[in-house]
Amino acid sequence: MINLLKLFGGKKELKIFPSLASQSVSSLALIFLTDGFPFSSYKSDDVEINEIEDSFIKPACHCYMLYLYPTYFESQRLGETLLGCALAVARKQNEKLIDLIEYGLSIINESFFIAAYEFSGSEDSTSKIISTFAYSWINFMDSDKELNEQQKEELYKKLYQCLCHSSTIVSKSLKHMIESIDTYDLEDIDDITFKRIKVGLIEKTLKDRIERAYLYPHKSRPTAQELYEAREKEADILKELENNYENIKLKLNSEIQNATGADETQDAIKNYVLSVGDLKVETKRVGTNFADILIQNIDAKNDELYPSFKTIINALLGDDEVGEKYFDDLLTLHESYRFIEVMATLKYIDSDILASYILGLEDEDFQVLADESGIEKSLFEEYIASTNMYSYCTEEQRAYVSNRVNQFPN
């Protein structure tokens, strides 16, 4: 039985299309859990399916309907945040189902980025996304290999048709639900869902505030507003990194054109390769699927440039074998600068949680900071005292924090 008051936070006035975002996400959770419209109309009338086929098709179509929900918002990141809130609310009633839905959404997201990369410029990219998802979903759900290839192909055709139908029917309800929201009270929503994969740098700090709250005793549970702002900030960072790459390319062209000798030409190529290598590492650390897209675009450009670079280097050094080794060493040189990489991402962390973030870093990143940053132990001791951190720690957690603090110099 669905607990309506629990879904709506104890409020008694329930509406299908509320004006408050906080109530709208609860309404979406209710409609989904009770198979209300549009989730009740996932199957195309032109498709006949049996019970086994329906066990594949229904959850897949529901995943796709929910995936489309954010696309009806002016800001898709806002829509994704609110969808996560709705799933967090629904999880209280049916955790197993929401686990499946969240996994399905991650498959669709991967299908989107696969299609965006492999079918860039295609006039029918949506159908490519649906097709990629359909095959991936069938393989995921049929992990025990109970279906033969003919059954899979028949199921794929029916699922594809139902997914296309779902994408049409979903707008009749969810668009109206979204248009009814006139107050985005995201700061009042603390039922939030983080990404299952490709979690961004800033979003991860919010996740840590829940999963390792003892490191953040001065911060309350994050709200949907903070999660939305974190994703906006990550998008802004990646846009800045994309612009930085364009500037690196312009600098390369300028240096090549103005080079007066072999040494300057070689230096121009070296500067480009190392700068791009460092930028790619920083982009990867910022995270998200969009970081992967940026890296893919950079790699595609480098695939065009690097053969000519190698030819130039080989000619400058007068030995193909020496030139190849020199260029290969350039490509991997940035990987040795782990300290610079870690420091480059610290600038994106808010100052009021920076010490907490450092204390919670993965072992390799933490060790390089402890050994090379020159940050003094006293700064962490003052921070721990001002936040009263140890009073929120178990004995084991306090030992963990103390051990890390003691690795910094006095």
Side-chain angles (χ1 to χ4, degrees):
M1 179 180 295
I2 304 300
N3 187 329
L4 295 180
L5 292 182
K6 189 173 182 180
L7 279 171
F8 282 81
K11 299 177 178 66
K12 295 182 179 180
E13 295 182 6
L14 309 182
K15 298 179 180 178
I16 296 300
F17 300 127
S19 60
L20 291 177
S22 57
Q23 292 190 5
S24 186
V25 296
S26 296
S27 181
L28 176 60
L30 173 63
I31 293 171
F32 170 67
L33 289 171
T34 57
D35 270 348
F37 184 81
F39 300 103
S40 58
S41 301
Y42 63 92
K43 189 182 78 68
S44 170
D45 292 337
D46 299 329
V47 176
E48 293 293 330
I49 58 177
N50 58 39
E51 186 175 346
I52 294 177
E53 291 170 332
D54 192 46
S55 69
F56 282 79
I57 291 173
K58 180 178 179 179
C61 289
H62 283 180
C63 282
Y64 193 58
M65 287 175 161
L66 290 169
Y67 170 78
L68 292 174
Y69 170 84
T71 66
Y72 302 126
F73 286 82
E74 185 174 342
S75 165
Q76 182 157 338
R77 279 183 289 277
L78 174 61
E80 289 171 349
T81 301
L82 290 178
L83 172 59
C85 296
L87 294 176
V89 171
R91 179 181 294 281
K92 298 174 182 178
Q93 302 287 331
N94 193 331
E95 183 173 357
K96 185 177 180 180
L97 172 61
I98 299 306
D99 280 344
L100 177 63
I101 293 298
E102 287 183 349
Y103 196 85
L105 290 172
S106 70
I107 294 176
I108 299 175
N109 275 316
E110 286 300 302
S111 300
F112 171 83
F113 285 102
I114 290 171
Y117 183 66
E118 294 186 359
F119 308 109
S120 178
S122 170
E123 294 181 359
D124 200 16
S125 58
T126 299
S127 68
K128 299 292 186 183
I129 295 169
I130 293 175
S131 178
T132 302
F133 168 59
Y135 277 119
S136 298
W137 178 261
I138 291 171
N139 289 331
F140 163 65
M141 292 289 284
D142 188 40
S143 58
D144 294 333
K145 309 296 183 185
E146 295 182 359
L147 300 178
N148 60 43
E149 290 305 314
Q150 182 177 350
Q151 290 173 315
K152 280 189 175 183
E153 192 58 32
E154 184 64 26
L155 177 58
Y156 163 78
K157 293 176 183 178
K158 294 181 179 181
L159 175 55
Y160 180 88
Q161 192 169 342
C162 288
L163 287 169
C164 292
H165 168 77
S166 295
S167 68
T168 301
I169 203 73
V170 70
S171 64
K172 296 179 181 180
S173 176
L174 298 190
K175 283 182 71 174
H176 182 54
M177 171 182 282
I178 292 163
E179 289 167 355
S180 297
I181 302 173
D182 60 27
T183 303
Y184 286 90
D185 54 339
L186 274 67
E187 67 280 355
D188 293 333
I189 308 175
D190 59 11
D191 288 314
I192 58 179
T193 300
F194 299 106
K195 294 176 182 176
R196 293 180 68 96
I197 57 174
K198 308 292 184 183
V199 181
L201 175 71
I202 313 301
E203 181 171 338
K204 188 177 184 302
T205 65
L206 301 182
K207 189 176 182 182
D208 277 352
R209 278 168 52 184
I210 294 176
E211 296 182 351
R212 298 194 289 181
Y214 68 93
L215 288 177
Y216 300 84
H218 58 307
K219 303 295 288 186
S220 59
R221 184 181 177 88
T223 66
Q225 181 66 34
E226 290 178 276
L227 180 55
Y228 170 58
E229 290 174 355
R231 291 173 175 174
E232 287 284 291
K233 183 175 180 179
E234 289 165 356
D236 290 342
I237 292 170
L238 291 172
K239 184 63 179 176
E240 181 182 353
L241 290 170
E242 184 178 21
N243 292 336
N244 290 347
Y245 173 65
E246 296 301 321
N247 291 333
I248 292 171
K249 285 197 301 180
L250 291 174
K251 183 179 179 182
L252 169 70
N253 293 334
S254 175
E255 290 181 346
I256 291 288
Q257 291 174 5
N258 295 323
T260 58
D263 288 346
E264 291 184 3
T265 300
Q266 186 173 331
D267 285 344
I269 293 174
K270 178 181 178 181
N271 290 338
Y272 174 84
V273 173
L274 294 181
S275 296
V276 169
D278 290 340
L279 186 141
K280 283 175 58 180
V281 170
E282 186 172 344
T283 300
K284 185 175 181 179
R285 283 178 171 272
V286 173
T288 78
N289 274 311
F290 292 100
D292 290 348
I293 291 290
L294 176 54
I295 291 172
Q296 287 172 354
N297 291 338
I298 292 174
D299 285 343
K301 183 63 178 177
N302 287 342
D303 286 343
E304 299 174 5
L305 292 173
Y306 283 177
S308 62
F309 284 178
K310 287 185 177 182
T311 300
I312 293 171
I313 292 295
N314 291 346
L316 291 175
L317 297 179
D319 186 319
D320 286 358
E321 185 175 344
V322 173
E324 287 284 338
K325 184 177 186 309
Y326 174 86
F327 196 78
D328 289 343
D329 287 345
L330 280 183
L331 293 177
T332 58
L333 185 59
H334 70 277
E335 295 177 359
S336 64
Y337 295 131
R338 192 174 190 93
F339 172 67
I340 296 176
E341 296 168 13
V342 177
M343 292 298 292
T345 51
L346 292 186
K347 64 189 176 188
Y348 300 125
I349 306 300
D350 289 343
S351 59
D352 66 333
I353 63 167
L354 183 57
S356 294
Y357 175 78
I358 291 173
L359 291 172
L361 282 171
E362 294 182 4
D363 289 346
E364 192 171 355
D365 286 347
F366 173 80
Q367 202 60 56
V368 75
L369 280 186
D371 293 342
E372 301 181 37
S373 69
I375 300 175
E376 295 181 357
K377 173 182 176 181
S378 60
L379 294 178
F380 288 97
E381 292 174 333
E382 292 169 7
Y383 180 80
I384 290 170
S386 67
T387 60
N388 203 22
M389 183 183 293
Y390 282 149
S391 67
Y392 294 88
C393 292
T394 64
E395 185 175 339
E396 181 180 356
Q397 291 165 348
R398 179 168 181 163
Y400 166 84
V401 173
S402 296
N403 176 62
R404 292 216 148 183
V405 170
N406 288 332
Q407 293 185 56
F408 287 91
N410 291 319

